[in-house]
Amino acid sequence: MRSYVAHGAPIAAVVLATGVALSGCADDEGAERTAPVSAAASSGAAEPSTTGEPEAEPEDTWGDVADPATVPLDAELLRGVEAVSIWEGATPQVEEGLGGGELVLGPGRSLALLVSTLPEVLAPGSSQAMLRDWSRVNGVTTSKVQELEPVVVDGQEMLRARGDNGFTVYDAFFLGDDQIGIEVVVATPIDFTDAEREEAIGQVMVTLEFE
């Protein structure tokens, strides 16, 4: 397993402790695709321009977030990541290849971030391969994982999937090729509205910068 569950590290227990017992895994049939994924997303490369003109820089999905997260993680231990922050009030925890933190909102409710990176020897080959593996086995979701529209973070397209366990919603983002794999998982309470969920996710994703 290439996801954070495979690390077996104490930080995973802290970051994913949302006040409820986590059990089960995703449906073995993989992700339920709810939006098309471009060939560029699958290959990790942008489609070449046929006009001879420079391609416009893609607009970041959360570029207009009003209140970015303010507590930085030690990105030196996260290969391929230049910077990333978590919400104010959360305690950052980082070890080699794995970082994150949790912000407790109340009994059984919290926000959590987990960023995991893979060395070249474990590189997944593509973002699509990472998404497919997470959809099959991730250790936290019990619902069928859905594949959502890709997002743009720091100018890079990341694939996105979502699942839940009845208490917490997990949004996972993937960027990978044959050199590196970067996985970001944001956990939010299941009773959040769509707007609240996107705001919480955007607050950390807007701070994510790649090397």
Side-chain angles (χ1 to χ4, degrees):
M1 188 186 306
R2 293 200 332 268
S3 72
Y4 53 84
V5 178
H7 288 269
I11 188 173
V14 174
V15 172
L16 296 177
T18 56
V20 298
L22 304 181
S23 63
C25 61
D27 192 310
D28 287 340
E29 294 180 2
E32 176 184 350
R33 180 168 297 182
T34 59
V37 177
S38 66
S42 299
S43 63
E47 295 181 3
S49 172
T50 57
T51 63
E53 298 179 358
E55 292 186 359
E57 186 74 16
E59 183 177 348
D60 282 5
T61 302
W62 292 284
D64 58 353
V65 167
D67 300 305
T70 58
V71 182
L73 299 183
D74 183 2
E76 289 187 3
L77 298 177
L78 302 173
R79 181 174 179 265
V81 175
E82 182 71 25
V84 64
S85 296
I86 58 175
W87 309 275
E88 184 175 356
T91 301
Q93 298 192 42
V94 183
E95 57 189 62
E96 190 66 39
L98 192 66
E102 182 184 16
L103 174 62
V104 177
L105 302 176
R109 301 176 74 252
S110 66
L111 300 175
L113 171 71
L114 189 70
V115 181
S116 60
T117 61
L118 298 171
E120 184 174 355
V121 66
L122 297 176
S126 70
S127 302
Q128 188 66 52
M130 297 182 71
L131 184 151
R132 184 172 58 249
D133 287 354
W134 191 85
S135 299
R136 290 173 176 167
V137 181
N138 57 56
V140 291
T141 66
T142 55
S143 69
K144 188 174 182 66
V145 173
Q146 296 179 324
E147 183 175 345
L148 305 183
E149 288 280 358
V151 299
V152 177
V153 179
D154 195 28
Q156 299 292 319
E157 186 175 78
M158 300 187 77
L159 299 190
R160 180 179 186 176
R162 173 181 291 171
D164 69 76
N165 62 5
F167 302 94
T168 301
V169 175
Y170 298 91
D171 282 84
F173 304 88
F174 310 94
L175 179 64
D177 54 26
D178 58 359
Q179 299 296 316
I180 195 171
I182 299 173
E183 177 184 307
V184 180
V185 179
V186 183
T188 55
I190 201 165
D191 61 357
F192 263 24
T193 65
D194 290 342
E196 288 173 327
R197 181 165 292 108
E198 285 303 302
E199 180 181 9
I201 292 171
Q203 287 171 341
V204 295
M205 296 299 285
V206 74
T207 69
L208 179 59
E209 299 177 14
F210 302 112
E211 290 181 345

